[in-house]
Amino acid sequence: MGVPPVVRDHKELGVAFFCSLILICCYLGSLVEFNPALNIKRILEHAFVPADSPAAASPVVVSASSDQQIGKIHHPLLHSNPLAAAAPNLDQFPDALPLDQPAVAPLDHDLAAASLFDKPAASPGADQPAAGTHVNSVNHSVNYNTNTKLAAAVEGLIRDIRLAALRANGGEPVQPLDEDGKKNWDEKNPCMSRQKLSLRYAARKYAKDVEANPGWDAVFREYQILHRICTRKVKNVSQYFNARDTSSGCHFMVCNAYDPSGLGNKVLITASCFLYAVLTQRILLVPSSNVLVTDVVCEPFEGSSWKVDQHTIGLPMSPPPWASMQDFLAVLDSSMGAHDSAIQKEAMIVYAADVTDNHFGFQPDNRFFCPAEQIFLRNVTWVNLVGNQYFVPKLFGVPIFRATLEALFPTRLVLTHLLRSLLLPGDPVWRQVEKVQAMQPDRADRRLGVQIRYLGGQEQFDLMHVVLESRIKKCALQNGMLPHHADLAVGNGRRLQSSSSNSHITAQSINSSAVRRTTVFIASLYDSFEKSLSSDYLQNPPANGENVTVVQLSNRHDQGYSVEEDVQALTEIILLSLSDDVIITPKSTFGIVAHGYGALRPWFMGMEFYEGPYPPCTEGQTAEGCYHIPEKYLYCPYNPELHDKSILEIVPYVKDCLPADWSGGIQIITS
């Protein structure tokens, strides 16, 4: 293979590197400006790194030159980055996927910026590359296991991850984790579910399991390598952070759940952060004080750890170690408006930015989802987010991500792949799951999961549990999830009355010689429904002799936030997800995570307080979770194609959540 002309001998590269740095510093010193209203001294001392500081290893600033119109982005360093020009040899990944091209062309970020800000995103497959296609992708295929051809956008993401790993490794060959290293890591981080969980889902008789996704599997594998290289390179991430170090070339994302948050919220914000970290080649770190990662789920990245010391990175300090979103946006706005005011005297780089929405809360700031802000964030070494929302639907609205996301998840079933790769249940959880599974009949033909949550606590339970339990029974009977009592009437081969997208139950199978068994698993803080349903089938068994087993593990009445309660909660979530159908409570993130793990389209029970002409339940429109409290209208002042537009206009397969679930929310519609 010929080597691209940008790759020269080491001496030439060294000279070019230092010359480029000198030119960069001079150019920045005369180009970028800041709003004098900013408290520059405080920002300088704690959240920013001067451009001429040794810590600013790869300074990159997004700015607008005087001859450009608002809406066009000029960022000179992105296309003159010496590391990008060197184009490291991607064949230096001995444990990575095979590539049929040994080098990657340099990044042409100016071209990317022009395509993003001058016109709307193109459709994948059009003559012009879709917005979001990685511009450093080479037009050659990456083969997964030498048989499966991956989409070009997925190949581009893989190359970006590999390039980030090579840079972090100083351009040196990336060595695989040897067998002893794998064995030692496995012994320190046991995870039974890593091998067994997928087998449980495949064993379901009626629910369609998620199809294999070789593109996501390949990306996840590459990301694990990057994570291992960066965490080992910096060794102590807390010290690295406090020293304002950038020498590794790695970028990080600290993700924490808003306190207090239930397990469902913790899972959803972590999954959302992870997808963003993969798209931007950031190393995902979760504070060790978060019980989700210490005792509930497995370590996800082989040879690495995603835990970080909460006390040195995550806790608020005075003055804070993170630039607020307002400070970050003020710097960006000043840079974009450099032609309107005095020239900035000293170029600076944001080192650590907190992107949490300071007004709306629980999620990233609305401008986080804009291309200009994302381009600027590429240069921020550390990003922090505190939240509890599943913000993945709005990531699809970011043009620089959309084509890659569409290629990674062609059926748009995102949450299931995130959960089953990143958030595998830890051994304390898995042992309980296997214990419950062992208690159930081996010949159970179908499984129904029911999750009941009274958000109003004991008062709501007392007021409506009788009405609600009646609706759940009607829902299950009318849709073929439970057998009728003595009056069950079927004919050979006739399908039961069911519109469920998950179940495929026929009357012919009921009339088989073997006695059918149905298991109902209930997750609730109260045991009223378990007692009621058990009594129904004990007093009025099905006429065809079908057995119904009702299982409930706990009835604590009050939600808690301890390690033990989170272990119990994830156990119940996994057991619900192993069902063929699930009936869940609207507005409950616990239910979202359960149907997300199971790749199930849920049924939402009717939550009206009184009897009336209400349907007992409503079938969900997708297996994806609902983003409960989004800001639907984007505020992107430097991208007129997105500014003041609803995410529903921008992404056709992002829709309003059903009123039966959560009015005002949005979700991705799976195909």
Side-chain angles (χ1 to χ4, degrees):
M1 289 286 179
V3 179
V6 295
V7 181
R8 303 180 177 90
D9 61 54
H10 295 295
K11 291 182 179 179
E12 270 192 338
L13 280 176
V15 172
F17 178 85
F18 287 107
C19 290
S20 297
L21 283 180
I22 293 170
L23 290 172
I24 284 166
C25 293
C26 294
Y27 186 81
L28 280 173
S30 64
L31 178 68
V32 187
E33 67 175 18
F34 283 87
N35 187 332
L38 290 176
N39 186 342
I40 298 297
K41 185 175 186 297
R42 177 179 62 82
I43 297 173
L44 272 172
E45 290 176 348
H46 303 291
F48 292 75
V49 179
D52 57 357
S53 166
S58 314
V60 184
V61 172
V62 180
S63 62
S65 64
S66 58
D67 60 344
Q68 289 183 307
Q69 301 174 358
I70 293 294
K72 295 183 179 181
I73 303 299
H74 178 61
H75 36 103
L77 299 186
L78 287 174
H79 70 279
S80 61
N81 186 337
L83 291 174
N89 188 340
L90 296 182
D91 280 346
Q92 295 177 10
F93 275 81
D95 57 347
L97 305 181
L99 284 170
D100 57 9
Q101 178 73 10
V104 175
L107 287 76
D108 188 355
H109 289 279
D110 278 343
L111 176 61
S115 66
L116 289 175
F117 290 92
D118 292 343
K119 59 186 179 183
S123 303
D127 292 337
Q128 285 290 348
T133 302
H134 289 257
V135 295
N136 61 322
S137 300
V138 179
N139 228 352
H140 298 274
S141 60
V142 180
N143 292 321
Y144 184 70
N145 291 335
T146 71
N147 294 320
T148 305
K149 179 177 173 60
L150 302 180
V154 176
E155 294 177 4
L157 180 57
I158 289 173
R159 285 181 169 85
D160 285 350
I161 295 171
R162 292 185 181 183
L163 190 58
L166 281 174
R167 289 172 180 169
N169 211 40
E172 296 297 320
V174 178
Q175 298 299 327
L177 193 63
D178 60 30
E179 291 305 315
D180 287 340
K182 291 181 180 180
K183 182 179 179 181
N184 292 336
W185 187 82
D186 286 337
E187 289 175 352
K188 293 178 180 178
N189 303 281
C191 184
M192 294 185 289
S193 65
R194 185 168 283 119
Q195 303 298 327
K196 298 181 178 181
L197 182 62
S198 60
L199 300 177
R200 288 289 186 185
Y201 290 122
R204 294 179 298 186
K205 295 187 178 180
Y206 299 111
K208 293 180 180 179
D209 196 18
V210 60
E211 296 179 359
N213 188 336
W216 173 251
D217 292 342
V219 167
F220 184 72
R221 179 181 170 186
E222 297 291 340
Y223 181 83
Q224 290 186 86
I225 297 171
L226 172 63
H227 203 283
R228 170 170 56 86
I229 290 171
C230 281
T231 54
R232 294 190 177 191
K233 180 84 171 180
V234 303
K235 297 180 181 177
N236 187 316
V237 292
S238 298
Q239 291 180 3
Y240 188 85
F241 174 82
N242 290 326
R244 295 296 188 262
D245 199 345
T246 61
S247 59
S248 70
C250 299
H251 291 72
F252 302 87
M253 180 171 198
V254 180
C255 184
N256 204 356
Y258 180 82
D259 187 26
S261 289
L263 183 74
N265 291 103
K266 294 176 185 176
V267 167
L268 292 175
I269 188 63
T270 305
S272 302
C273 288
F274 174 54
L275 182 57
Y276 175 72
V278 170
L279 291 170
T280 56
Q281 296 84 63
R282 290 188 177 275
I283 304 307
L284 179 65
L285 300 172
V286 183
S288 56
S289 60
N290 185 341
V291 296
L292 172 66
V293 300
T294 54
D295 295 277
V296 183
V297 300
C298 299
E299 279 275 8
F301 308 124
E302 186 179 59
S304 187
S305 176
W306 63 343
K307 299 173 187 175
V308 66
D309 184 1
Q310 169 89 350
H311 297 286
T312 57
I313 290 182
L315 288 177
M317 299 179 186
S318 182
W322 305 90
S324 69
M325 195 63 184
Q326 287 93 335
D327 286 338
F328 171 77
L329 293 175
V331 173
L332 185 148
D333 291 340
S334 296
S335 178
M336 297 298 294
H339 60 285
D340 292 331
S341 55
I343 299 298
Q344 177 190 348
K345 293 182 179 179
E346 184 175 8
M348 274 131 42
I349 304 300
V350 182
Y351 181 76
D354 186 339
V355 298
T356 307
D357 188 331
N358 293 318
H359 302 292
F360 216 49
F362 313 121
Q363 58 192 298
D365 187 271
N366 198 15
R367 285 182 64 179
F368 175 85
F369 300 99
C370 301
E373 285 73 1
Q374 281 302 320
I375 291 175
F376 203 93
L377 276 169
R378 291 176 184 173
N379 317 309
V380 178
T381 303
W382 290 81
V383 168
N384 182 64
L385 176 64
V386 180
N388 63 11
Q389 293 291 301
Y390 180 61
F391 62 82
V392 165
K394 281 186 72 171
L395 290 178
F396 277 79
V398 183
I400 57 178
F401 299 151
R402 190 180 310 146
T404 300
L405 288 169
E406 290 174 342
L408 270 179
F409 306 104
T411 64
R412 299 193 285 276
L413 191 63
V414 184
L415 182 58
T416 300
H417 290 293
L418 294 177
L419 295 177
R420 294 193 194 179
S421 54
L422 180 75
L423 294 159
L424 293 171
D427 285 0
V429 174
W430 191 250
R431 279 190 286 268
Q432 289 199 50
V433 170
E434 291 200 317
K435 183 178 179 180
V436 174
Q437 292 281 299
M439 294 167 56
Q440 298 183 30
D442 291 336
R443 289 188 294 147
D445 292 287
R446 59 185 172 187
R447 290 179 168 86
L448 169 64
V450 180
Q451 180 254 341
I452 308 173
R453 174 72 189 278
Y454 296 95
L455 298 174
Q458 185 70 47
E459 182 179 354
Q460 186 184 12
F461 170 79
D462 293 339
L463 180 64
M464 66 175 302
H465 78 91
V466 174
V467 173
L468 185 61
E469 290 166 10
S470 174
R471 289 190 186 126
I472 296 171
K473 293 174 187 177
K474 288 179 183 178
C475 175
L477 291 169
Q478 290 175 6
N479 294 288
M481 304 174 203
L482 282 177
H484 285 269
H485 299 162
D487 60 347
L488 178 65
V490 294
N492 285 338
R494 183 166 59 82
R495 188 174 179 82
L496 291 176
Q497 296 300 312
S498 174
S499 60
S500 170
S501 60
N502 305 314
S503 296
H504 311 275
I505 304 172
T506 63
Q508 187 171 13
S509 63
I510 285 183
N511 292 333
S512 61
S513 57
V515 175
R516 289 183 53 83
R517 301 175 186 270
T518 295
T519 297
V520 182
F521 179 76
I522 301 170
S524 177
L525 296 176
Y526 302 88
D527 62 0
S528 174
F529 183 63
E530 184 268 330
K531 291 179 179 178
S532 175
L533 191 64
S534 297
S535 176
D536 286 348
Y537 282 101
L538 284 174
Q539 296 178 19
N540 301 291
N544 65 344
E546 182 169 352
N547 292 332
V548 176
T549 301
V550 183
V551 179
Q552 182 171 344
L553 297 187
S554 64
N555 56 320
R556 300 181 298 277
H557 285 227
D558 295 313
Q559 179 178 355
Y561 302 99
S562 68
V563 175
E564 294 76 14
E565 285 165 314
D566 275 357
V567 167
Q568 182 70 26
L570 187 57
T571 300
E572 295 180 355
I573 283 173
I574 296 300
L575 289 168
L576 284 170
S577 75
L578 293 171
S579 304
D580 296 297
D581 287 288
V582 287
I583 303 173
I584 67 173
T585 305
K587 304 181 181 180
S588 171
T589 56
F590 188 104
I592 291 175
V593 175
H595 77 72
Y597 270 110
L600 299 170
R601 183 181 295 183
W603 293 79
F604 298 104
M605 59 187 72
M607 294 297 291
E608 293 79 11
F609 278 91
Y610 305 104
E611 290 282 10
Y614 310 114
C617 60
T618 302
E619 187 177 15
Q621 60 186 347
T622 177
E624 274 292 296
C626 180
Y627 179 4
H628 284 158
I629 52 172
E631 293 185 76
K632 293 183 184 179
Y633 283 84
L634 298 176
Y635 183 78
C636 298
Y638 304 113
N639 190 333
E641 298 299 330
L642 300 179
H643 189 57
D644 283 339
K645 298 288 180 61
S646 168
I647 184 69
L648 305 182
E649 299 176 52
I650 297 166
V651 186
Y653 46 82
V654 171
K655 303 292 185 183
D656 286 315
C657 300
L658 294 178
D661 179 15
W662 187 297
S663 296
I666 59 173
Q667 60 188 167
I668 300 165
I669 305 301
T670 48
S671 58

